Amino acid sequence: QVHGKVVPIEVKAAQGKRLTSLRTFLDRKPNSPIGLHIATRPLAYKNQVLTVPFYLIKEIPRLLESLPI
């Protein structure tokens, strides 16, 4: 949870996969401020989804707190 709201998490091991489940959750639950995507991709924030590479998993709380949500 972040600020008392549920943050959905999707983990992908391979690149090029779609975030179907995460995107569906965010579309159905507009009260969720952000989705979290853990993958081999670089750190990024786009379209309400924070992508975090595996090596930065321990920094997720700090990263979420730094976003304007």
Side-chain angles (χ1 to χ4, degrees), residues 6 8-9 17-18 21 23 26-27 30 37 39-40 46 51-53 60-61 64 67:
V6 174
I9 299 172
K17 299 284 184 174
R18 301 181 128 203
S21 299
R23 192 53 48 207
L26 292 172
D27 290 344
H37 173 217
T40 57
K46 182 179 178 184
T51 300
V52 178
I60 288 173
L64 289 174
L67 291 174

Side-chain angles (χ1 to χ4, degrees), residues 27-62:
D27 290 344
R28 291 185 181 174
K29 303 288 185 183
N31 289 339
S32 292
I34 190 172
L36 187 57
H37 173 217
I38 300 172
T40 57
R41 294 175 170 240
L43 182 64
Y45 180 66
K46 182 179 178 184
N47 296 329
Q48 197 181 354
V49 175
L50 176 64
T51 300
V52 178
F54 289 105
Y55 68 89
L56 285 178
I57 287 176
K58 69 178 185 171
E59 297 296 328
I60 288 173
R62 185 182 62 82

Side-chain angles (χ1 to χ4, degrees), residues 5 12 14-15 19 24 27 36 43 46 52 61 69:
K5 298 190 179 186
K12 296 287 186 180
Q15 286 190 5
L19 299 174
T24 299
D27 290 344
L36 187 57
L43 182 64
K46 182 179 178 184
V52 178
I69 44 179

